[in-house]
Amino acid sequence: RRCPRPALPILRWLPRYSRAWLPLDLLAGLAVGLTTVPQALAYAELAGLPLQYGLYSSFMGCFVYCLLGTAKDVTLGPTAIMSLLVSSYAFHEPVYAVLLAFLSGCVQLAMGLLRLGFLLDFISCPVIKGFTSAASITISFNQIKNILGLQGIPRQFFLQVYETLRRIGETRAGDAVLGLTCLAALAGLRAMKSRLPQAAPAEPVAVRISYLIVWVSATARNALVVLFAGLVAYSFQVMGWQPFRLTGSIPQGLPAFRPPRFSLAAPNGTVPFQSMVQDMGVGLAVVPLMGLLETIAIAKAFASQNGYRIDPDQELLALGVANVLGSFVSSYPITGSFGRTAVNAQSGVCTPAGGLVTGTCELLSLYPLTDMRKSGSGLLLPPSLSAPSQPLETGHSRAWLLSLAGLDLVPLCVTFLLCFWEVQYGIVAGVLLSGILLLYSIARPPIKVSEGEVLLVQPGSSLHFPAMEHLRDSVCSRALAAASPPRCVILDCCHISSIDYTVVLGLAELLQELRRHGLSLAFCGLKDPVLQVLLSAELEGFQHFPSWEEAAGSRAAELGGSRAEPFSSTAEST
């Protein structure tokens, strides 16, 4: 007898854990940890929150996913897209951001328990691509003000562009030089890693050690560049002259483990929970859904690439638990990170245990920062470093736009353009347009009509109640309007796998209408479920044949004519 599959994902790989996997998991976890620290600081600034909230958001997901995740490569934490959404719905207020993480986690947890992951399939790829493309531009331009050292720039994209261009003369030379230098260093290290040849096992030890040093330096380029810039800023601070605008210091120690606050103290009173929920509005749907989309898309991509399978509903549970527990340590909403997941995979991670190392690195990172604060220096990082150092990936090559055609471009363009106004408007409008296009394809399926001695009608997909009137008009308009009406109409149902009650009633009315005009209607190619439904309906005059040739021959024999000739014309109705 086969043993039942363990419900807890960690029990599926932990009992067979091999000692040979341990060094790879340690190395991968360390590489991701070094990448996460500077990114967490950058994403917190992007979300409009104090920098420590980026670090608070970076460790809980690693521990939770090790227990509940089903993809060995995925890492959870703050991302560029989620930070952009938080900046829109949390109003740069940490209390709102933490409460948004808790409520988003509850939504994701409920969807996982109810196995509602299939609902994400209704958000089409053009909508996702339009959103991520607009987010890439928004996030990139949002960092220009930091590189130029400008303050007081509005968050709204169009106002941001206008104000940045208007005040470009106020650029701080120190911030601009340091920011551009760091960007050049990051680009150079990334290019070096992409062109680094693999060291063969037969190479000398010195060559392999050199390869490892270069690979670790290129992989941990974010941490190295942040460390370099911090030391430069600290050197100027010691000399008593500071050409950079600094982010300041991070509060000491770990965050307190406590529930999120369900009210907010304001100068003119207290903002209750109901008002906070109303303020976040549609964000309570957009944030959890986008988090689920990112996580599942990344998990599926790396699972297919590495030859294993994931459980989407289990991924929903893992993300929901991570956000709920994360809100108890002052985390804002997190999701799967494409860049850090790629680092994890390229580092050769073998199991989700690598997340334990990554989470430990994030916890330990709070203490050196605390020591810097105690020594009086603070965290001396220029805001020009706040640009996310991993590119915003869309999961496909840039040529994906060329493969889109026709109506697919409509939701993409609408989502792309409206996301520059407000993110929620772009996503909602794109989803609604995609839904309308989907319903239109159901209501107007392609119908091929071939004319001859018989009229052969071939619907191209299943029939549902919105399409019945379209089918009836297509049949009647061709059968009754012809100069010499055919004696028989044959409905080829080989592509119809299901019908509903409205379709059955519509077919009964179609049979009666054709009979009144001296025409007969025969069905062919019916699948068993559809045939059983029509037989149980006891339609008057119902006839079924295995193929349209047999139907045409039978009708010709009944009418005393010859077998039907080939069709003289064919048309397709949509």
Side-chain angles (χ1 to χ4, degrees):
R1 295 175 57 187
R2 287 186 64 181
C3 296
R5 194 180 188 189
L8 201 61
I10 189 175
L11 298 180
R12 302 172 192 172
W13 57 264
L14 186 60
R16 55 187 180 86
Y17 194 87
S18 171
R19 284 186 296 178
W21 298 346
L22 183 60
L24 294 173
D25 284 343
L26 288 173
L27 178 61
L30 183 61
V32 176
L34 293 175
T35 302
T36 304
V37 173
Q39 282 191 345
L41 301 175
Y43 292 146
E45 199 277 339
L46 180 62
L49 302 174
L51 295 187
Q52 66 267 23
Y53 284 88
L55 296 176
Y56 296 164
S57 305
S58 61
F59 63 87
M60 183 61 75
C62 300
F63 297 128
V64 171
Y65 197 83
C66 179
L67 296 174
L68 301 177
T70 59
K72 67 180 181 65
D73 302 296
V74 171
T75 60
L76 300 182
T79 65
I81 289 180
M82 196 55 61
S83 300
L84 180 66
L85 292 175
V86 170
S87 71
S88 299
Y89 299 114
F91 317 109
H92 299 184
E93 177 56 55
V95 176
Y96 273 90
V98 175
L99 181 59
L100 182 59
F102 176 78
L103 296 177
S104 298
C106 291
V107 173
Q108 294 162 344
L109 194 56
M111 291 182 66
L113 292 173
L114 297 174
R115 307 189 71 82
L116 297 178
F118 72 92
L119 293 178
L120 299 178
D121 296 336
F122 287 93
I123 301 180
S124 64
C125 284
V127 174
I128 299 173
K129 296 302 180 184
F131 166 68
T132 52
S133 299
S136 299
I137 298 173
T138 302
I139 291 169
S140 299
F141 198 88
N142 190 52
Q143 307 311 312
I144 293 179
K145 69 179 188 298
N146 296 319
I147 293 178
L148 301 181
L150 301 178
Q151 291 181 296
I153 301 296
R155 182 187 63 83
Q156 210 278 333
F157 178 76
F158 297 109
L159 294 177
Q160 190 177 100
V161 173
Y162 172 76
E163 283 295 316
T164 301
L165 296 177
R166 187 179 69 85
R167 297 173 51 190
I168 199 168
E170 304 174 19
T171 299
R172 294 171 56 98
D175 286 324
V177 170
L178 182 62
L180 294 175
T181 301
C182 291
L183 287 176
L186 288 170
L189 289 170
R190 187 179 182 216
M192 182 176 65
K193 182 180 179 181
S194 64
R195 292 170 173 79
L196 185 65
Q198 183 71 36
E203 296 282 353
V205 176
V207 174
R208 284 183 287 166
I209 292 177
S210 301
Y211 169 82
L212 182 62
I213 292 174
V214 173
W215 182 87
V216 171
S217 300
T219 301
R221 57 187 178 272
N222 306 329
L224 292 178
V225 170
V226 169
L227 179 62
F228 163 76
L231 291 175
V232 171
Y234 178 65
S235 300
F236 281 105
Q237 185 84 352
V238 170
M239 291 187 296
W241 179 59
Q242 188 55 263
F244 311 120
R245 184 169 60 87
L246 301 180
T247 57
S249 60
I250 288 182
Q252 60 177 333
L254 298 174
F257 189 83
R258 61 189 179 191
R261 291 165 56 186
F262 293 94
S263 61
L264 175 64
N268 56 350
T270 301
V271 180
F273 174 71
Q274 294 85 349
S275 298
M276 296 179 71
V277 171
Q278 291 175 359
D279 291 340
M280 288 184 282
V282 72
L284 295 176
V286 172
V287 171
L289 286 179
M290 291 308 300
L292 294 175
L293 279 174
E294 270 201 281
T295 302
I296 292 180
I298 292 169
K300 285 183 176 180
F302 282 88
S304 61
Q305 179 179 346
N306 294 289
Y308 61 88
R309 299 181 62 185
I310 65 164
D311 182 352
D313 292 308
Q314 184 64 49
E315 293 294 304
L316 300 188
L317 289 174
L319 184 60
V321 172
N323 273 313
V324 170
L325 291 182
S327 67
F328 282 71
V329 291
S330 301
S331 166
Y332 68 83
I334 62 173
T335 183
S337 166
F338 187 93
R340 296 192 294 273
T341 299
V343 171
N344 208 21
Q346 293 167 7
S347 303
V349 70
C350 298
T351 66
L356 296 177
V357 182
T358 301
T360 303
C361 289
E362 308 317 309
L363 289 175
L364 294 177
S365 69
L366 291 166
Y367 288 99
L369 301 180
T370 300
D371 293 339
M372 290 178 68
R373 183 180 183 277
K374 288 179 180 177
S375 67
S377 66
L379 180 62
L380 303 177
L381 293 180
S384 55
L385 281 177
S386 62
S389 52
Q390 290 287 346
L392 185 63
E393 300 284 354
T394 60
H396 296 278
S397 66
R398 292 180 178 88
W400 62 267
L401 182 60
L402 300 177
S403 64
L404 291 177
L407 294 178
D408 277 340
L409 287 174
V410 176
L412 184 146
C413 294
V414 169
T415 304
F416 178 77
L417 295 175
L418 288 183
C419 278
F420 289 119
W421 178 24
E422 288 291 346
V423 171
Q424 63 269 29
Y425 297 154
I427 295 175
V428 171
V431 171
L432 289 177
L433 270 177
S434 296
I436 292 172
L437 294 177
L438 175 63
L439 292 176
Y440 180 82
S441 66
I442 295 174
R444 295 293 182 269
I447 298 176
K448 181 180 179 182
V449 180
S450 302
E451 295 186 27
E453 291 296 324
V454 297
L455 188 72
L456 179 63
V457 181
Q458 297 174 301
S461 62
S462 289
L463 283 179
H464 300 285
F465 65 90
M468 189 57 228
E469 197 63 31
H470 175 55
L471 173 66
R472 184 174 176 177
D473 291 341
S474 299
V475 172
C476 293
S477 61
R478 299 296 290 273
L480 303 181
S484 56
R487 294 170 292 180
C488 176
V489 177
I490 300 175
L491 185 60
D492 187 353
C493 303
C494 62
H495 298 297
I496 300 176
S497 58
S498 62
I499 58 175
D500 53 42
Y501 178 71
T502 305
V503 173
V504 175
L505 293 182
L507 292 175
E509 294 174 359
L510 182 60
L511 279 166
Q512 294 176 3
E513 183 171 358
L514 292 176
R515 189 181 301 111
R516 286 197 300 268
H517 291 85
L519 302 176
S520 62
L521 174 63
F523 297 80
C524 68
L526 286 171
K527 300 184 183 300
D528 286 340
V530 179
L531 178 59
Q532 295 303 319
V533 170
L534 294 178
L535 289 176
S536 62
E538 298 181 351
L539 302 180
E540 185 179 354
F542 173 74
Q543 300 178 79
H544 170 249
F545 299 91
S547 65
W548 70 265
E549 292 91 346
E550 294 184 31
S554 175
R555 297 307 300 160
E558 289 180 11
L559 297 173
S562 60
R563 186 176 178 82
E565 296 297 326
F567 299 107
S568 58
S569 65
T570 300
E572 186 168 340
S573 173
T574 58

